[in-house]
């Protein structure tokens, strides 16, 4: 069987060795050191060949998701780091590929994580099957998964070692069709610890089902209260609440699972049985005569009878007396209080045990593969065994004896199969077998199960002996027959042993350690007595399911029955059948579970506690068997594939012979001939040191290969990318040229006669361009706009174009707020030098030259005659002269002399005009003394407002890179002499002239005749 190197290869040396077979030094100290190191690093799985050792982490881990399922699916064990998925996949592949029945045996003591391991395996199998999504297969998978929570509810309990301890053994066969999909299954249950129903040690609980029902909130129909301490059968351990368990949520999950599986109305019956047992615990007796007990209060009995649908009178008789048939006569014999209590507890245990068996039966009926289907279609099986681990308590009774016997049988099977597999592989490969000394626990199995002289046989003899036989008498019989057995000790055979009590204890030297048993209760538990009266009572139930559970109750009182099989004999038969006729016929895979500490801590590793488990699980012996001469073996094909890069002759491909020839070349080239042997299909390597040497050289070679491959691949990618880029660029270039030609053709067609159009194509809709030509089209639109402007300006002489620019500016500023603003006439700017407007041109020109020399302005922007008003409401004729630096107020009557220093243009904050034909203009200044004036149209009736607005706005745009504020309103708000004034326009016969209008108002009287004439 192939060895793995997973830990060494995939995880790194800081995590220790992933396969104990590859330990350099094989002793218990090295084994424990590696186990502890891996646990401290969060690595809970380690291999021994194909056996996985699992340490309970006591915390959730994120290594069981779909990503990890995909990581292990279809892979060989040694291809990935150690994981329980690898063992599950190995068992599945062996079943599917070789049509070989397999089984996975999960073992370990209570609290080591066996139940969780079985659930993880089931979920993995469910994840990798039914890829086709067939409904029937999905139904079977769902039932197999859902059955777990039902079985855990009714078969698991909190113990002092484990919050979810399996108190029964479970072996599940999963049947697969030829495609490897689950088509059914069967569950066998073993030795439910039914004594827990009536008694729990301190710190422990009854089965989960009792607490789930009490926390369900649905208690009225069962006559219960929600406090577990109210019932004798759930209060003895004083540990009803467990932080890691949510009983209410689990109750809902169990009911949902029962619906999925198809329990139907029978689900209610099982909960009624649980409730009836709780009421049974409150049933008390009192003595009313010699050896005659009576029920103290009928209330609990009535509840039990109601829940189980029993006759109350018959129920009371059954609990207080029993019918005995002797020599053909039938008589009723009363119970003492002690006998009545014994009968009550036996009744509770038997009813719960039988109910549990029927729960398993219902699950089996839902997933059972029909016999004709098994015969017709090839069916293979994977078995999963989750059975109680080895137990050593302060008080070990009959249950612990049976459990430990079961573990002895499983250990015997484990050693036998491992040795058998190793021996068979060596024989197949032609390798000489080296005998390994190991402890064979067959002697302990024989001590328990041997005919006539075994402990179970002696116990059965004691149970079948007429007369009153006590437990001490049974112990005495064992001492007489087994006193010389080296694995059996009692006080009688070893007087010096102070730990043993005469007549009470015996000790067995198990493979897992010495266990001292208390014989008290052995005989009664082995007899497993339930009075026939109770069986008849239950058979007579009106509940159809309860009645069916007890068919033996149909026998009459006078019927002669066979001697019942004892519990020990029945358990022995079932375990022998499981081991010898089931597991031994399958290819086994093992999960060996270890409990790291007693505190359920995720960080604590109790060295001595773990060492004890390693020893009694025989893990060190398992490693020795695996290393019997050779620590590692691998098929030639895989060896060559893995290590071919280590020699030039085998890299990159070996074509000069077989895989064995290539393997020999590698070994010879590395000078490792003395540490290997060649089998028929595999190479066998003796020491782990050689394996690690191969791996180290492989790691170095892989790094070099990786660098070379990266270099070549990057170069290849770069060349491919360059060629693609060149091709893409050419394609883009050609495509753009094509799109450009196509689009330009559309443009030529659209704008073919645009030169003769009135607006030169202003309103023509441009064809939608492709995105790649967006920028080009925007450029063409700009060209078109400039061409349109050129065509529009073409009729105008070049000398008129500056004034045309001012008119465009005025139009943009006014935007329809004033209809008449003189756009139809020629704008001259300086009207003082126009003889038609000013006959005294020379005087005006002289005055302007004087101002220009004095103030150094460059250009006169606008100059004209105006009517001006001041803060005193005086109206006077003046000349306004606006230059590129100052605004001057001039007196035409005094040879155009400036009346005051010019006002800087920096003082101007804005302009305001009226919307009418009048030529009211207000130039707003920062000093609070605005220019309020009326532009005089003269004889030509010129409208100067547009020219002033255009001239100043254009100047502001050029010199100050900003827009001059221009307002248009019927009333002009201004400041004269630091006081706010309001100027309005009034029509009059004469004018224009300013007049006072109210308190702070000024009115411009504008002649109506001038309004009628309009402006040019």
């Amino acid at each position: 069987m192939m060895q793995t190197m997973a830990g060494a290869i995939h995880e790194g040396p800081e995590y220790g060795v992933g396969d104990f077979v590859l330990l350099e030094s094989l002793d218990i100290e090295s084994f424990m050191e590696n186990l502890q190191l891996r646990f401290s690093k969060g690595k809970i799985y380690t291999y021994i060949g194909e056996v996985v050792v699992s340490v309970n982490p006591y915390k959730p881990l994120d290594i069981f998701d779909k990503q990890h399922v995909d990581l292990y699916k279809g892979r060989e064990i040694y291809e990935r780091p150690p994981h329980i998925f690898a063992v599950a996949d190995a068992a599945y592949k062996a079943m599917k590929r070789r049509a070989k029945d397999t089984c996975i045996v999960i073992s370990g003591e209570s609290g080591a994580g066996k139940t969780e391991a079985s659930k993880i395996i089931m979920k993995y199998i469910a994840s990798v099957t039914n890829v086709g999504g067939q409904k029937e297969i999905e139904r079977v998978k769902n039932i197999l998964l859902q059955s777990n929570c039902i079985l855990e509810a009714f078969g698991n309990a909190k113990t002092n070692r484990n919050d979810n301890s399996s108190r029964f053994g479970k072996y599940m066969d999963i049947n697969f069709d030829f495609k490897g999909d689950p088509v059914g299954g069967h569950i066998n249950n073993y030795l439910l610890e039914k004594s827990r129903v009536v008694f729990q040690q301190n710190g422990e609980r009854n089965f989960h089902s009792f607490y789930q029902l009490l926390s369900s909130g649905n208690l009225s129909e069962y006559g219960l209260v929600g406090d577990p301490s109210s019932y004798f059968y759930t209060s003895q351990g004083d540990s009803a609440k467990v932080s890691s368990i949510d009983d209410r949520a689990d109750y809902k999950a169990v009911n949902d699972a029962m619906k999925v599986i198809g329990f139907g109305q029978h689900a209610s019956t099982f909960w009624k049985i649980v409730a009836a047992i709780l009421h049974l615990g409150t049933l008390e007796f009192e003595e009313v005569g010699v050896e005659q007990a009576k029920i103290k209060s009928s209330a609990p009995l009535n509840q039990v009878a109601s829940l189980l649908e029993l006759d109350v009178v018959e129920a009371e008789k059954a609990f207080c007396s029993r019918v005995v048939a002797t020599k053909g006569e039938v008589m009723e014999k009363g119970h003492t209080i002690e006998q009545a209590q014994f009968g009550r507890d036996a009744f509770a245990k038997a009813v719960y045990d039988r109910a549990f068996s029927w729960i398993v039966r219902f699950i089996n009926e839902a997933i059972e593969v029909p016999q004709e289907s098994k015969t017709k279609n090839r069916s293979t099986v994977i078995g999963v065994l989750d059975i109680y681990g080895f137990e050593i308590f302060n008080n070990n009774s009959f249950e612990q004896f049976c459990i430990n016997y079961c573990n002895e049988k499983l250990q015997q099977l484990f050693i036998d199969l491992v040795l058998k597999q190793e021996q068979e592989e060596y024989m197949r490969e032609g390798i000489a077998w080296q005998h390994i000394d190991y402890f064979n626990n067959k002697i302990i199995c024989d001590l328990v199960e041997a005919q006539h002289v075994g402990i179970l046989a002696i116990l059965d003899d004691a149970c079948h002996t007429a007369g009153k036989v006590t437990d001490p008498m049974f112990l005495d019989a064992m001492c007489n027959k087994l006193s010389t057995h080296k694995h059996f000790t009692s006080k009688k055979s070893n007087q010096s042993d102070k730990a043993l009590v005469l007549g009470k204890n015996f000790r067995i030297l198990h493979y897992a350690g010495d266990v001292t048993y208390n014989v008290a209760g052995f005989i009664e538990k082995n007899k497993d007595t339930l009075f026939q009266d109770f069986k008849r009572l239950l058979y007579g139930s009106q509940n159809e399911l309860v009645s069916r559970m007890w068919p033996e109750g149909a026998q009459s009182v006078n019927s002669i029955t066979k001697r019942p099989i004892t519990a020990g004999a029945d358990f022995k038969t079932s375990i022998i059948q499981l081991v010898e006729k089931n597991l031994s016929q399958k290819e086994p895979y093992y999960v060996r579970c270890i409990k790291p500490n007693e505190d359920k801590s995720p960080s604590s590793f109790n060295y001595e506690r773990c060492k004890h488990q390693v020893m009694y699980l025989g893990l060190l012996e398992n490693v020795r068997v695996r290393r019997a001469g050779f620590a590692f073996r691998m098929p030639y094909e895989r060896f060559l594939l893995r290590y071919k890069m280590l020699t030039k002759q085998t890299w990159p491909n070996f074509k000069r012979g077989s895989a064995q020839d290539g393997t020999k070349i590698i070994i010879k080239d590395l000078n490792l001939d003395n540490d290997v042997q060649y089998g028929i299909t595999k190479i066998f390597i003796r020491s782990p040191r050689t394996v690690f040497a191969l791996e180290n050289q492989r790691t170095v070679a892989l790094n070099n290969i990786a660098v070379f491959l990266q270099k070549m691949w990057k170069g290849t990618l770069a060349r491919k990318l360059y060629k693609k880029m060149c091709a893409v660029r050419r394609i883009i270039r050609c495509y753009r040229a094509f799109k450009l030609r196509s689009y330009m053709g559309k443009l030529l067609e659209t704008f073919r006669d645009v030169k003769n159009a009135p607006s030169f194509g202003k309103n023509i809709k441009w064809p939608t361009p492709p995105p790649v030509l967006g920028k080009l089209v925007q450029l063409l639109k700009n060209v078109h706009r400039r061409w349109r402007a050129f065509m529009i300006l073409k009729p105008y002489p070049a000398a008129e174009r500056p004034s045309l620019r001012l008119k465009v500016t005025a139009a943009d500023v006014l935007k329809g707020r004033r209809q008449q603003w003189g756009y139809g006439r020629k704008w001259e700017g300086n009207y003082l030098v126009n003889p038609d407007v000013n006959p005294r041109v020379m005087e005006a020109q002289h005055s302007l030259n004087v101002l220009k020399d004095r103030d150094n302005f460059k250009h006169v922007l606008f100059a004209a005659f105006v009517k001006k008003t001041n803060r005193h409401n005086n109206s006077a004729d003046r000349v306004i002269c606006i230059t590129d630096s100052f605004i001057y107020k001039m007196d035409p009557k005094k040879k155009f002399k400036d009346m005051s220093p010019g006002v800087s243009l920096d003082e101007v904050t804005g302009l305001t005009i009226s919307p009418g034909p009048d030529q009211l203009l207000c130039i707003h200044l920062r000093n609070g003394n605005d220019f309020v004036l009326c532009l005089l149209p003269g004889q030509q009736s010129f409208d100067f407002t547009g020219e002033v607005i255009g001239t100043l706005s254009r100047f502001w745009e050029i010199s100050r890179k900003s827009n001059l504020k221009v307002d248009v309103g019927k009333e002009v708000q201004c400041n004269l002499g630091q006081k706010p004034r309001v100027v309005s326009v009034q029509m009059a016969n004469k004018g224009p002239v300013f007049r006072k209008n109210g308190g702070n108002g000024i009115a411009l009287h504008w002649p109506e005749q001038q309004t009628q004439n309009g402006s040019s």
Side-chain angles (χ1 to χ4, degrees), residues 700-946:
V700 173
L702 285 179
N703 289 335
N704 296 332
I705 292 171
V707 172
F708 174 76
L709 291 177
Q710 286 175 349
K711 180 182 72 174
M712 297 302 295
W713 182 241
K714 286 179 180 178
T716 301
L717 290 179
R719 286 187 290 273
K720 285 184 177 181
L721 181 61
Y722 175 74
K723 290 180 179 179
K724 285 182 179 179
M725 290 174 64
C726 292
V728 167
R729 287 175 179 171
R730 185 172 183 181
I731 291 170
I732 290 174
R733 188 166 58 249
C734 294
Y735 179 74
R736 284 179 174 172
F738 165 74
K739 297 298 285 187
L740 179 61
R741 287 194 300 272
S742 300
Y743 188 71
M744 294 305 294
K746 291 181 181 179
L747 284 181
L748 289 174
E749 186 65 28
T750 302
F751 289 89
R752 183 174 297 279
D753 201 31
V754 72
K755 187 175 182 180
N756 299 322
S759 63
F760 303 107
K762 177 182 179 180
N763 299 321
I764 292 178
K765 183 178 180 180
W766 285 62
T768 303
V772 71
L773 298 180
K775 293 183 179 180
L776 175 62
V777 171
Q778 190 60 44
L779 178 63
L780 291 175
K781 286 182 177 180
N782 293 336
V783 170
H784 177 249
R785 280 194 291 269
R786 294 178 68 86
W787 176 80
R788 277 187 65 250
F790 169 78
M791 294 302 292
I792 292 171
L793 293 174
K794 187 176 180 180
Y796 296 91
E800 295 183 10
R801 290 181 183 178
S803 64
L804 184 62
R805 182 58 179 152
L806 297 179
K807 291 179 181 180
V808 171
T809 300
D812 287 341
V813 171
L814 294 174
K815 294 180 180 177
R817 293 185 289 175
R818 181 181 172 107
Q819 292 183 353
Q820 300 172 1
W821 46 273
Y823 55 82
R825 66 175 180 83
K826 180 181 177 182
W827 289 3
E828 298 179 17
N830 187 356
Y831 291 93
L832 295 183
V833 296
N834 185 342
D836 295 333
V837 177
N838 179 19
R840 296 178 295 161
V841 173
M842 297 300 294
E843 293 179 357
Q845 186 64 55
H846 175 74
S847 180
L848 290 174
N849 290 336
V850 171
L851 291 175
K852 187 174 184 181
D853 293 339
R854 187 187 74 188
D855 294 339
N856 296 319
F857 63 81
K858 295 180 180 179
H859 306 290
V860 176
L861 302 179
F862 179 81
F865 291 93
V866 299
K867 186 72 74 172
K868 181 184 177 299
T869 187
N870 59 20
R871 60 183 176 175
H872 304 296
N873 300 321
N874 295 327
S875 182
D877 291 327
R878 297 285 186 264
V879 169
I880 188 77
C881 179
I882 304 174
T883 71
D884 55 8
S885 299
F886 301 97
I887 300 176
Y888 297 99
K889 181 173 61 176
M890 307 169 71
D891 189 349
K893 296 178 180 179
K894 296 181 179 181
K895 297 183 180 182
F896 299 99
K897 182 180 179 181
D898 59 315
M899 300 179 67
S900 61
V903 177
S904 174
L905 287 183
D906 293 336
E907 294 292 317
V908 177
T909 61
L911 305 176
T912 302
I913 62 174
S914 67
D918 58 89
Q919 298 195 53
L920 175 64
L921 172 66
C922 178
I923 302 175
H924 299 284
L925 303 175
R926 298 183 191 277
N927 61 10
N929 194 24
D930 300 338
F931 285 123
V932 179
L933 45 89
C934 175
L935 300 167
L936 296 178
Q939 295 179 356
Q940 293 82 6
S941 298
F942 288 162
D943 188 331
F944 293 112
T945 54

Side-chain angles (χ1 to χ4, degrees), residues 39-97:
F39 178 77
S40 66
K41 296 290 187 179
K43 302 297 181 181
I44 64 170
Y45 297 118
T46 313
Y47 290 139
I48 302 176
E50 289 188 344
V51 175
V52 65
V53 179
S54 170
V55 184
N56 193 339
Y58 285 121
K59 64 179 179 181
L61 298 175
D62 58 350
I63 58 173
F64 306 109
D65 52 17
K66 186 179 185 303
Q67 180 181 354
H68 282 82
V69 170
D70 295 338
L71 195 64
Y72 286 87
K73 181 180 179 181
R75 297 286 185 173
E76 298 297 333
I77 275 188
Y78 51 81
E79 292 185 51
R80 293 287 184 265
H83 201 291
I84 195 172
F85 283 171
V87 172
D89 193 75
Y92 179 73
K93 288 201 302 286
M95 177 278 302
K96 185 177 180 180
R97 295 176 181 175

Side-chain angles (χ1 to χ4, degrees), residues 438-721:
Y438 66 95
F439 172 65
N440 189 341
N441 68 330
K442 184 177 185 301
I443 187 173
I444 303 176
C445 295
D446 290 342
L447 170 65
V448 177
E449 68 185 13
Q451 295 289 335
H452 307 302
V453 295
I455 293 175
L456 287 176
I458 297 171
L459 181 59
D460 282 352
D461 287 343
C463 293
H464 297 151
T465 301
K468 187 171 182 61
V469 179
T470 63
D471 293 318
M473 294 170 64
F474 156 64
L475 176 57
D476 191 61
M478 280 198 297
C479 293
N480 293 334
K481 292 186 177 182
L482 303 173
S483 59
T484 59
H485 199 291
K486 62 180 181 179
H487 288 275
F488 176 88
T489 310
S490 67
K491 187 68 172 178
K492 185 176 181 179
S493 60
N494 187 0
Q495 296 288 337
S496 61
D497 194 334
K498 296 181 180 180
L500 298 175
V501 179
L502 185 64
K504 180 179 179 181
N505 301 127
F506 68 94
R507 182 183 297 130
I508 295 179
L509 280 65
H510 288 282
Y511 79 94
D514 299 351
V515 182
T516 301
Y517 297 98
N518 187 343
V519 295
F522 261 62
I523 290 178
E524 286 299 337
K525 290 176 180 178
N526 190 49
K527 286 181 178 179
D528 199 19
T529 305
L530 181 67
F531 298 138
Q532 188 67 24
D533 305 69
F534 287 131
K535 298 177 182 178
R536 286 193 292 270
L537 175 67
L538 291 165
Y539 178 74
S541 169
Q542 297 302 307
N543 185 302
E544 178 259 344
L545 179 58
V546 174
S547 180
R548 283 172 53 201
M549 287 182 185
W550 296 93
E552 59 268 45
Q555 294 178 342
S556 66
V557 179
N558 295 318
S559 298
I560 299 175
T561 59
K562 293 181 180 180
R563 177 183 292 171
I565 300 175
T566 60
D570 184 50
F571 183 69
K572 167 189 165 183
T573 302
S574 60
I575 290 300
I576 290 175
Q577 184 175 9
L578 170 69
V579 172
E580 297 181 3
K581 297 184 179 180
N582 196 328
L583 298 180
S584 62
Q585 305 302 314
K586 294 179 172 65
E587 184 172 308
Y589 294 83
Y590 292 94
V591 179
R592 310 292 255 173
C593 299
I594 291 178
K595 183 177 183 179
N597 58 76
E598 293 292 345
D599 307 318
K600 303 170 188 174
S601 167
S603 59
S604 173
F605 186 89
N606 188 318
Y607 186 92
E608 291 301 325
R609 189 79 183 78
C610 294
K611 179 180 177 181
H612 177 68
Q613 295 173 75
V614 167
M615 295 303 292
Y616 79 63
L617 285 171
L619 300 184
L620 203 58
E621 290 173 343
N622 187 198
V623 177
R624 287 196 181 101
V625 170
R626 293 285 181 174
R627 284 179 57 162
F630 301 96
F632 172 77
R633 72 282 320 256
M634 184 181 279
Y636 292 124
E637 292 79 7
R638 290 190 175 276
F639 186 92
L640 179 62
L641 185 64
R642 185 169 186 82
Y643 299 109
K644 63 182 181 179
M645 72 290 300
L646 299 184
T647 65
K648 293 181 179 179
Q649 298 95 314
T650 54
W651 176 257
N653 293 303
F654 181 72
K655 298 180 179 179
R656 302 178 190 173
S658 64
Q660 183 175 4
D661 296 332
T663 300
K664 289 181 178 180
I665 289 173
I666 295 171
I667 295 298
K668 184 177 180 180
D669 195 68
L670 298 177
N671 297 319
L672 300 175
D673 306 70
N674 296 330
D675 202 35
V676 304
Q677 279 197 30
Y678 300 101
I680 297 173
T681 64
K682 297 179 182 179
I683 180 175
F684 290 76
I685 300 177
R686 183 169 285 103
S687 68
R689 187 182 294 106
T690 300
V691 178
F692 291 129
L694 284 168
E695 283 302 316
N696 290 335
Q697 293 188 54
R698 180 177 182 270
T699 300
V700 173
L702 285 179
N703 289 335
N704 296 332
I705 292 171
V707 172
F708 174 76
L709 291 177
Q710 286 175 349
K711 180 182 72 174
M712 297 302 295
W713 182 241
K714 286 179 180 178
T716 301
L717 290 179
R719 286 187 290 273
K720 285 184 177 181
L721 181 61

